[in-house]
Amino acid sequence: MIRTIPALENSALDRALTYPLGGFRRVVVLGKTGSTNADLAAHAAEEPARWPDLSVLIADSQIAGKGRLGRTWEVPAGAAMISSVLLRPVDASAHPGVPAFLPTGYGWLSILAGIALCQAVNADAGVPAALKWPNDVLVDGRKLAGILAQVVFPEGDGAGPGPAVVVGAGVNISQEREQLPVERATSLALAGAVMLDRNVLLPAYLNRFARLYQDFVAVGGDALRPLAGGESAHSLASALMATLGTAVRAELPGGEMLYGTAVRLGGDGGLEVKADDGTIHKISAGDVVHLRRVDGTDVGYA
């Protein structure tokens, strides 16, 4: 089955995402690009004054999407929801009464995006979604979306805005099973979503992300402090994190494998894994595979 979803409406997205309806200061919508993350990172480094905190770049399609560990993929027009957000937390916190942004807060920015995306998919698409550490959104154990964050430093002598972070998200929207890049992926269409219009779903996700980010900056990037809604970033993420309580295989930098059970998120956004011998290991980087047991054998499935 070929599904047709509405084209991106530039003016409608700009209106929904910028003040006073939305939380963004600059919105740019492209028909096609290589990578929204790469484009926005380059803009942030080369023209920092023109790309303030809470700028967003949206694309209908991209031919060189970036993922973790150097992975790339191509997304045809209309198939996915592609966006990258530029954040400048140090500059955003440089106001009287706002605490300085903690270094550990940077590790939470992609998690905040995941929280916002799960909330939007649940509320506006009618599909229950969960987080997989460190940067995926799952539906029924299958990958719906990937999130990637990268730090950007301004070019030149360092004057002007401080370090920026680009947080990109790619959400599968209309693909059928045979159109997805891996077996354990899914799309909103396959999950039975009640809404596939990106002109609705993009503001639903991005404006939630902007509000969470602003609340997070207001508490200095401390994931354990309550946000304006009453819950901390840590508690919001933990409630959505399907990885917690799951048997996992952690593929660590350098090729080392760690087997155990994911027990909690750390205050820095890292994952704590309890190995079979009872020791607790703190993981700040690497891929995690959820495991299930079949006849006593570990089989990766996410």
Side-chain angles (χ1 to χ4, degrees), residues 243-249 258-264 271-276 279-281 293:
T243 306
L244 300 182
T246 300
V248 299
R249 182 183 75 232
L258 171 66
Y259 290 83
T261 300
V263 290
R264 68 181 65 87
L271 185 68
E272 297 184 10
V273 175
K274 185 176 182 180
D276 292 339
T279 58
I280 300 293
H281 299 260
R293 296 189 182 277

Side-chain angles (χ1 to χ4, degrees), residues 126-236:
V127 173
L131 296 173
K132 172 180 173 285
W133 191 92
N135 65 338
D136 290 343
V137 173
L138 306 180
V139 172
D140 293 330
R142 293 180 179 271
K143 182 174 177 177
L144 176 72
I147 298 168
L148 179 68
Q150 62 187 95
V151 179
V152 181
F153 295 93
E155 294 182 350
D157 59 7
V165 178
V166 173
V167 182
V171 186
N172 298 325
I173 297 291
S174 62
Q175 297 99 321
E176 299 300 325
R177 187 76 63 202
E178 64 275 9
Q179 296 173 310
L180 292 165
V182 296
E183 179 185 355
R184 295 302 303 182
T186 191
S187 67
L188 285 179
L190 289 172
V194 299
M195 170 59 65
L196 298 179
D197 189 344
R198 295 169 297 169
N199 298 295
V200 175
L201 294 175
L202 276 163
Y205 154 57
L206 289 168
N207 284 330
R208 279 181 172 86
F209 184 20
R211 288 193 296 271
L212 277 173
Y213 165 70
Q214 289 169 321
D215 290 346
F216 192 59
V217 168
V219 298
D222 186 344
L224 301 178
R225 287 185 60 183
L227 304 175
E231 292 190 74
S232 67
H234 187 277
S235 64
L236 289 171

Side-chain angles (χ1 to χ4, degrees), residues 23-27 36-58 83-89 91-92 109 148 150-154 161-169 205-206 209-210 213:
F24 289 85
R25 298 175 63 188
R26 183 172 186 184
V27 178
T36 55
N37 259 34
D39 288 354
L40 193 52
H43 291 318
E46 297 166 5
E47 305 174 287
R50 295 189 60 206
W51 295 87
D53 184 46
L54 285 170
S55 295
V56 60
L57 185 62
I58 296 166
S83 64
S84 293
V85 174
L86 177 65
L87 306 174
R88 299 186 183 277
D91 300 328
L109 297 177
L148 179 68
Q150 62 187 95
V151 179
V152 181
F153 295 93
V165 178
V166 173
V167 182
Y205 154 57
L206 289 168
F209 184 20
Y213 165 70

